[in-house]
C-alpha cells in the first residue's frame, strides 16, 4: 500500500461511518410505497458537504413499473454523485439501492427495526444489510477521496438508487436508459459478506394461459377442463424439464431452475374452467437465453397436446430482469478487487456467485466488467433482526476507496 492510499484511508473514521449508516436506517424507505426522499437527502448532504458534486434525480412518468402500485414518481428520487478527475474516462460506477422491503413482523424484532441499534459489533435495522450498508460504504469511500483532495484519472460515479425492490424500472433501469449511467466498470453494492461476486442468474417471469372449453359441472364431458390441462402441464414440467435444467450449471451459481409460483383457474364451483393461468419463475444461468426458454416451454405444451388432445395456449413474459451476469475472473476489475480484499484482510479469496438478484443484470449485455460486492451476510436480508457487522462495514468502505484509487489511479 502506497503513501497516497494510506493518506486516503486515514480519512475513514469508523464512528462516522457507523453513525451515517444509522442515519440511513432511521430514514424509512420501505417499498411499498418506496418513498426515498428522506434517505436520498441524507445521502445528498453527506456527499455535498465533502465537496462531491451531487444531485437528486426523479424518474419521468414514462418510467413504468411492472407493478400497478400507484407510486408517485416525485417521491422516489435517486442520487447521482460525481467525483470528476483529470480525465472523463474511464467511468467507474458504484451502485447500491436506498429502498428496502417492508417490516411486517416488528414485534418479533429484538429492537425497533428503524432505530439502528448497535450491539456486540453489529448494527441492527431494516436495510442494515440490504442494502444501506453498501450505500453507506460507497458514499463514505467517495467522501474519503474528496476530503483527501485526490484527482483521479477518470470519473467515479456514486449512485444510491431508488426502486430496486420494485424491479428497478424507475431506478437503475430508467437511469441507464436516459444515459445517466454509462460505466466502463460497474460495482453493485449488495450483501456478499465482503466477497467478490462475478456471476448472477437472470430472471424471467412467464405467464402461461391454457385454454379449454367451458361446460356445466354436471356434464364435464362436454367441456375441456383447463385446470386439468394445467395440472398435466405442471407434471410435465417437473418430470421432463426440471431434470434437464439441473444439468445446466455454472462454477459459481446454482443450476438453472423453473418453478411454478402461481395458478389461477375457474369461475364457479359448478362450471368446467375454460381458462387457467400459470406463472413460472425461471432462473437462467449464463449461456441460456430468453428465446431458448420460451421455445422449451412451447415445446413442452406441444408435447402435452400430442400426448393428450389438441388445445390452445399463450405465453407472455411479464418480467424480464435482463441477461445473466458473467464476468471473467481474470478481468482487471475482479483481480484488483480480490487483491484489495487480500491486502486489507491478509486472506486470499476466490470469486463467488450472487444468488439473489441485483441491478447488475441491467448492464450484463454491455460487455463491461461487473462485480457485486458489499458487507453483510445475504441470509439476513429481508429477514427479522437484519444486521451488519461494523468490521465488515468499515472494511467495505476501505475496499471501495482503494478500488477507485487503483482502477482510476
Amino acid at each position: 500500500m502506497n503513501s497516497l492510499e494510506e493518506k486516503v484511508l486515514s480519512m475513514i473514521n469508523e464512528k462516522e461511518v457507523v453513525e451515517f449508516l444509522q442515519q440511513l436506517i432511521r430514514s424509512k424507505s420501505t417499498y411499498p410505497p418506496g418513498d426515498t426522499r428522506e434517505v436520498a437527502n441524507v445521502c445528498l448532504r453527506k456527499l455535498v458537504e465533502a465537496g462531491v458534486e451531487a444531485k437528486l434525480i426523479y424518474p419521468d412518468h414514462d418510467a413504468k413499473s411492472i407493478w400497478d402500485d400507484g407510486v408517485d414518481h416525485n417521491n422516489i428520487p435517486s442520487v447521482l454523485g460525481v467525483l470528476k478527475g483529470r480525465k472523463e474516462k474511464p467511468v467507474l460506477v458504484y451502485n447500491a439501492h436506498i429502498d428496502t422491503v417492508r417490516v411486517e413482523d416488528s414485534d418479533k424484532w429484538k429492537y425497533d427495526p428503524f432505530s439502528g441499534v448497535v450491539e456486540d459489533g453489529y448494527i441492527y435495522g431494516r436495510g442494515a444489510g440490504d442494502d444501506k450498508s453498501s450505500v453507506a460504504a460507497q458514499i463514505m469511500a467517495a467522501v474519503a477521496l474528496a476530503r483527501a483532495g485526490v484527482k483521479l484519472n477518470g470519473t467515479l460515479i456514486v449512485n444510491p438508487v431508488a426502486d430496486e425492490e420494485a424491479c428497478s424500472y424507475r431506478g437503475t433501469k430508467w437511469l441507464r436508459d436516459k444515459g445517466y449511467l454509462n460505466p466502463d466498470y460497474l460495482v453493485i453494492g449488495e450483501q456478499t459478506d465482503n466477497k467478490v461476486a462475478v456471476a448472477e442468474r437472470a430472471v424471467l417471469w412467464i405467464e402461461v394461459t391454457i385454454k379449454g372449453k367451458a361446460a356445466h359441472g354436471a356434464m364435464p364431458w362436454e367441456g375441456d377442463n383447463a385446470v386439468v390441462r394445467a395440472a398435466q402441464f405442471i407434471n410435465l414440467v417437473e418430470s421432463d424439464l426440471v431434470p434437464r435444467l439441473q444439468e445446466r450449471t455454472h462454477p459459481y451459481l446454482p443450476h438453472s431452475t423453473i418453478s411454478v409460483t402461481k395458478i389461477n383457474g375457474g369461475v364457479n364451483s359448478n362450471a368446467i374452467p375454460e381458462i387457467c393461468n400459470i406463472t413460472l419463475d425461471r432462473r437462467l444461468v449464463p449461456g441460456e437465453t430468453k428465446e431458448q426458454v420460451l421455445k422449451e416451454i412451447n415445446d413442452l405444451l406441444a408435447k402435452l397436446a400430442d400426448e393428450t388432445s389438441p388445445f390452445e395456449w399463450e405465453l407472455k413474459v411479464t418480467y424480464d430482469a435482463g441477461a445473466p451476469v458473467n464476468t471473467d475472473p481474470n478481468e482487471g476489475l475482479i483481480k484488483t478487487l480480490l487483491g484489495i480484499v487480500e491486502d486489507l484482510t491478509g486472506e486470499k479469496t476466490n470469486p463467488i456467485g450472487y444468488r439473489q438478484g441485483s441491478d447488475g443484470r441491467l448492464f450484463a449485455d454491455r460487455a463491461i466488467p461487473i462485480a457485486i460486492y458489499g458487507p453483510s451476510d445475504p441470509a439476513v436480508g429481508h429477514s427479522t433482526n437484519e444486521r451488519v457487522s461494523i468490521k465488515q462495514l468499515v472494511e467495505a468502505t476501505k475496499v471501495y476507496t482503494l478500488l477507485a484509487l487503483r482502477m482510476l489511479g
Side-chain angles (χ1 to χ4, degrees):
M1 200 173 300
N2 61 41
S3 58
L4 175 60
E5 292 176 342
E6 290 176 350
K7 175 187 174 183
V8 179
L9 290 185
S10 72
M11 301 290 167
I12 298 171
N13 178 276
E14 179 179 302
K15 183 173 182 291
E16 182 184 13
V17 175
V18 169
E19 289 177 349
F20 181 54
L21 176 54
Q22 288 176 309
Q23 280 185 283
L24 298 179
I25 292 170
R26 291 164 186 160
S27 303
K28 294 182 182 180
S29 53
T30 55
Y31 178 82
D35 189 334
T36 56
R37 288 174 294 176
E38 182 181 357
V39 69
N41 275 290
V42 171
C43 295
L44 181 72
R45 284 195 298 271
K46 178 61 76 172
L47 289 166
V48 170
E49 287 169 0
V52 179
E53 183 181 308
K55 60 183 177 181
L56 300 183
I57 301 181
Y58 298 81
D60 292 341
H61 284 269
D62 62 354
K64 302 296 184 184
S65 174
I66 64 171
W67 311 115
D68 184 18
D69 54 13
V71 169
D72 186 341
H73 288 69
N74 294 318
N75 293 344
I76 50 172
S78 297
V79 184
L80 202 68
V82 181
L83 198 59
K84 296 180 179 178
R86 298 184 183 91
K87 301 185 298 182
E88 183 179 332
K89 301 280 278 182
V91 176
L92 170 61
V93 171
Y94 288 166
N95 168 287
H97 63 95
I98 50 179
D99 61 326
T100 71
V101 294
R102 288 184 295 180
V103 175
E104 296 179 325
D105 52 359
S106 57
D107 58 321
K108 297 179 181 178
W109 284 65
K110 189 174 183 180
Y111 306 106
D112 179 343
F114 300 103
S115 61
V117 167
V118 173
E119 181 185 76
D120 295 333
Y122 286 87
I123 306 169
Y124 287 82
R126 175 56 81 223
D130 188 16
D131 189 34
K132 292 179 176 180
S133 56
S134 288
V135 172
Q138 290 182 351
I139 288 176
M140 294 309 300
V143 167
L145 291 162
R147 287 175 177 169
V150 171
K151 285 292 182 184
L152 300 169
N153 288 317
T155 302
L156 174 65
I157 293 178
V158 181
N159 177 218
V161 71
D163 206 51
E164 195 270 352
E165 298 294 357
C167 296
S168 307
Y169 279 69
R170 295 161 299 201
T172 299
K173 183 180 185 299
W174 182 82
L175 290 165
R176 178 204 66 184
D177 293 346
K178 293 296 182 178
Y180 288 104
L181 300 177
N182 189 22
D184 297 294
Y185 310 108
L186 175 63
V187 182
I188 301 293
E190 285 284 2
Q191 295 172 280
T192 66
D193 251 347
N194 282 2
K195 295 181 174 62
V196 181
V198 298
E200 175 188 326
R201 293 184 299 175
V203 184
L204 281 176
W205 292 344
I206 303 160
E207 185 175 86
V208 181
T209 299
I210 291 180
K211 301 178 180 181
K213 180 184 176 183
H216 197 289
M219 296 180 290
W221 53 84
E222 295 291 339
D224 185 0
N225 195 319
V227 170
V228 172
R229 292 277 193 183
Q232 292 169 333
F233 169 66
I234 291 169
N235 285 333
L236 201 54
V237 167
E238 292 295 318
S239 64
D240 185 306
L241 188 52
V242 167
R244 283 189 278 141
L245 297 187
Q246 290 173 348
E247 297 176 0
R248 297 179 194 171
T249 60
H250 185 277
Y252 303 122
L253 294 169
H255 59 71
S256 182
T257 60
I258 186 169
S259 303
V260 179
T261 55
K262 290 183 182 178
I263 184 167
N264 182 38
V267 291
N268 291 313
S269 298
N270 61 348
I272 300 303
E274 184 174 23
I275 299 290
C276 188
N277 294 310
I278 305 161
T279 299
L280 303 174
D281 177 288
R282 184 70 166 78
R283 305 288 163 140
L284 291 68
V285 297
E288 293 186 293
T289 65
K290 176 171 69 174
E291 293 71 26
Q292 174 189 2
V293 167
L294 294 176
K295 183 180 184 303
E296 287 175 335
I297 295 170
N298 260 315
D299 288 349
L300 214 57
L301 288 158
K303 179 179 179 180
L304 178 61
D306 288 342
E307 292 177 349
T308 54
S309 59
F311 65 96
E312 295 181 9
W313 67 84
E314 290 180 358
L315 298 184
K316 180 183 178 182
V317 175
T318 58
Y319 176 54
D320 180 356
V325 175
N326 192 33
T327 304
D328 187 338
N330 291 314
E331 282 280 359
L333 175 69
I334 305 303
K335 294 177 75 173
T336 301
L337 252 176
L338 291 169
I340 292 168
V341 171
E342 184 176 357
D343 287 347
L344 290 173
T345 65
E347 297 179 5
K348 186 177 180 64
T349 59
N350 295 315
I352 65 168
Y354 186 63
R355 297 195 172 197
Q356 289 82 352
S358 83
D359 282 348
R361 66 188 185 272
L362 298 170
F363 298 85
D365 60 352
R366 293 199 173 189
I368 62 169
I370 300 170
I372 306 165
Y373 170 89
S376 182
D377 181 348
V380 307
H382 297 194
S383 71
T384 303
N385 295 320
E386 185 178 348
R387 66 181 189 174
V388 63
S389 81
I390 292 173
K391 179 182 178 182
Q392 278 196 356
L393 175 65
V394 175
E395 179 184 295
T397 304
K398 293 178 179 179
V399 168
Y400 286 127
T401 303
L402 290 179
L403 183 63
L405 284 170
R406 294 186 186 181
M407 292 303 297
L408 305 177

